[in-house]
Amino acid sequence: MKKIRVTLVGGGTGLSVLARGLRKYPVDISAIVSVADDGGSTGLIRDQIDMPAPGDIRNVLTALSDVETKLENLFAYRFKKEALGGHALGNLMLAAMYDMTGDFAVAVKELSKILNVKGTVIPSTNISPKLAARMEDNSIIVGESYIPEVKQKIEEVYLIPNDIVATPEAIEAIKASDVIVFGPGSLYTSIIPNLLPEGMREAVEDAKGIKVYVSNIMTQMGETLGYSAADHLEAINRHMGSNVVDFIILNEEDIKGRVSDYYSRNDMTTVESDRERLKEMGATVVTDDHLVQIDEEGAVRHNNKVLAEIIYDIALKEISTLQYKK
């Protein structure tokens, strides 16, 4: 039996968490990763070498590596010497490979071989883009790390320069997918940036694979305060120009009394579903009572095992249905 081909689209820690859960299933994983990050070690390397952001790529490579347990601490290790700028070792390795090959997609591919990565990690674009946002008052903010700091409603995001094209590998992965998963991750700074390079929107719209969006559990400062799951999905559809998502995975469990007061202090609330609007957008709701994981300090995240199981179950059911109809 041929393995199910799953393509993950996103960035930040959410994508690596999901990749870690899915790798235990008999699936071929491709991960299309945002490269517009400009903060921390990643931002310094981008400025010095003029390369796409390595940080999120590093996290996904670690999650899919066969030597993950040994690699994770090593790859995340940050040198304390001032001359090395607090860089994570994994970022420096990606920068070195890029310097050797002159091609970021090739650099990721070559490092994947060295790390024995079980899957394919693909930068969404092969050059170094800047993320810009048009806010509610029509002001323009440039820089992925600066956008949330403004704390205004975001109307749209776009890449600079605006003629950046998607990597051929990203387009091919989308076309070949049985399942395409958007998220989990920051809506405007991790997920949507992957859909902005030229060629991606058409590839997603034309793709025959099932499209799944993993909604955030909590709203996010500077990006989605006050958003329902329907608002999240509407933002994706607005940037795509059409309703593209078949399934939305979301939490409907009441967790208010169990989470850290950090969230309420920063006006962050649980993401409500708004099922009627989701239905109008053509998205089938999938949920689970164990989808949320809350640690001792009240920090909220997705349970990667449950999330991976849900996605695998959706894939099995939908693909079986399609084969039966044929």
Side-chain angles (χ1 to χ4, degrees), residues 82-277:
E82 191 174 336
L84 291 169
H87 290 307
L89 177 61
N91 289 352
L92 291 174
M93 289 178 71
L94 277 164
M97 191 64 78
Y98 173 70
D99 217 29
M100 290 166 63
T101 62
D103 184 302
F104 191 62
V106 171
V108 174
K109 193 180 296 183
E110 291 302 313
L111 195 55
S112 295
K113 292 176 187 174
I114 293 169
L115 301 174
N116 200 22
V117 167
K118 297 303 180 186
T120 307
V121 182
I122 306 164
S124 58
T125 183
N126 211 22
I127 67 171
S128 181
K130 289 186 182 296
L131 186 68
R134 180 172 63 84
M135 315 306 284
E136 189 174 24
D137 65 356
N138 280 328
S139 62
I140 304 297
I141 306 300
V142 178
E144 188 255 24
S145 62
Y146 297 108
I147 293 169
E149 291 182 4
V150 178
K151 297 181 181 176
Q152 275 194 47
K153 184 179 178 184
I154 299 168
E155 293 295 331
E156 66 172 327
V157 291
Y158 54 93
L159 297 178
I160 300 175
N162 60 12
D163 59 352
I164 288 177
V165 299
T167 52
E169 295 89 346
I171 299 294
E172 185 53 41
I174 292 290
K175 288 180 178 178
S177 297
D178 296 306
V179 182
I180 303 162
V181 183
F182 306 104
S186 300
L187 179 65
Y188 288 106
T189 53
S190 288
I191 297 171
I192 291 177
N194 288 291
L195 307 175
L196 302 177
E198 288 185 16
M200 277 298 288
R201 185 174 73 179
E202 295 80 6
V204 171
E205 286 177 338
D206 295 343
K208 294 179 172 60
I210 302 147
K211 289 121 187 165
V212 180
Y213 171 54
V214 182
S215 175
N216 288 344
I217 300 164
M218 306 294 294
T219 60
Q220 186 174 351
M221 280 189 296
E223 289 202 38
T224 57
L225 291 185
Y227 272 42
S228 67
D231 292 325
H232 283 74
L233 185 56
E234 187 176 59
I236 292 173
N237 292 339
R238 188 168 68 247
H239 284 79
M240 286 294 298
S242 61
N243 296 342
V244 294
V245 170
D246 302 303
F247 292 88
I248 180 167
I249 300 172
L250 52 79
N251 170 62
E252 291 185 323
E253 183 189 5
D254 184 1
I255 60 171
K256 293 187 182 83
R258 298 159 51 201
V259 304
S260 166
D261 62 2
Y262 166 84
Y263 296 103
S264 58
R265 288 200 313 270
N266 290 284
D267 299 321
M268 299 162 72
T269 59
T270 52
V271 174
E272 304 298 329
S273 59
D274 198 349
R275 279 184 175 244
E276 281 304 310
R277 282 177 59 212

Side-chain angles (χ1 to χ4, degrees), residues 4-69:
I4 295 169
R5 290 166 295 190
V6 179
T7 296
L8 312 179
V9 180
T13 56
L15 196 68
S16 55
V17 165
L18 178 53
R20 195 170 278 119
L22 271 174
R23 62 176 288 183
K24 297 175 173 61
Y25 289 87
V27 297
D28 279 334
I29 301 173
S30 295
I32 299 173
V33 186
S34 173
V35 291
D37 185 11
D38 59 2
S41 165
T42 283
L44 288 170
I45 287 177
R46 283 189 61 173
D47 290 342
Q48 292 164 356
I49 301 180
D50 189 24
M51 63 180 278
D56 289 348
I57 293 276
R58 179 196 85 222
N59 288 334
V60 180
L61 285 171
T62 303
L64 290 175
S65 172
D66 245 10
V67 289
E68 179 192 357
T69 50

Side-chain angles (χ1 to χ4, degrees), residues 74 76-90 92:
L74 183 63
Y77 178 78
R78 293 181 185 276
F79 292 96
K80 296 174 180 64
K81 300 256 184 203
E82 191 174 336
L84 291 169
H87 290 307
L89 177 61
L92 291 174

